[in-house]
Amino acid sequence: MDAKNRFETKTTFAFSRMEWLAFLVVSLVLAFQHLSEIRWGVFVALFAVIDVIGYIPGAIRYRRSPDKRIARGYYVAYNIMHSLVTAGVIAGAWVLFAGPEWALLALPIHLLGDRALFGNSFKPFGVAFEPETHPAYRRFEQQYRTEFAEEARRQEEGSRVVRA
């Protein structure tokens, strides 16, 4: 993936998820090392607020929509609440007003878990709110695989001719 080709193959997506998983593990290790110092009410509230504001309203509206189309505001709320920048702002404000604490690990644990375990990141307006393969992407992926396989075959045939 690059700035001109903004898609991922299954392999590059798996690598991205592994990176998120590494950071999730670091966050979980820190949480386990400080279990007795975590204020669990704060932890649960910080963990939950991301979905209470950013996911649940859109998910409910999506499920109730006969055509599965919902207002862009639900996507915006999801993307804002599932942003590491927003989590950083929330954590920074918390530290300024309440002081640092280990319960703040709920924010990266939630976001990194979404990315690493479920493969969820930001939601573009043009796709369904709940994960389902867009028909245009399905066609693209099939064409990409076919062209990739053809190119690999041509390269293999070319290397056989050179060796002979």
Side-chain angles (χ1 to χ4, degrees), residues 5-115:
N5 300 286
R6 295 180 309 265
F7 67 92
E8 295 185 89
T9 64
K10 288 182 180 184
T11 302
T12 58
F13 187 61
F15 280 126
S16 293
R17 289 179 71 181
M18 283 191 295
E19 285 189 338
W20 293 120
L21 182 61
F23 288 109
L24 174 60
V25 168
V26 169
S27 299
L28 288 169
V29 166
L30 286 169
F32 281 111
Q33 288 177 334
H34 299 279
L35 278 175
S36 64
E37 301 168 64
I38 293 175
R39 290 193 306 153
W40 289 102
V42 173
F43 184 97
V44 169
L46 289 170
F47 191 93
V49 72
I50 294 168
D51 283 342
V52 167
I53 295 172
Y55 171 68
I56 294 172
I60 291 170
R61 184 68 187 114
Y62 177 82
R63 284 174 177 82
R64 290 182 177 172
S65 171
D67 62 0
K68 302 301 182 199
R69 294 167 64 169
I70 61 174
R72 288 182 171 211
Y74 293 109
Y75 289 81
V76 172
Y78 180 93
N79 292 339
I80 288 171
M81 292 307 296
H82 286 81
S83 166
L84 291 167
V85 172
T86 301
V89 169
I90 291 169
W94 192 279
V95 169
L96 279 174
F97 296 110
E101 64 177 292
W102 292 109
L104 291 168
L105 285 169
L107 298 168
I109 288 171
H110 182 127
L111 297 176
L112 297 170
D114 277 356
R115 286 166 170 76

Side-chain angles (χ1 to χ4, degrees), residues 129-141:
F129 191 80
E130 292 291 1
E132 68 179 55
T133 305
H134 192 284
Y137 186 77
R138 186 177 294 114
R139 287 189 303 273
F140 162 77
E141 193 174 41

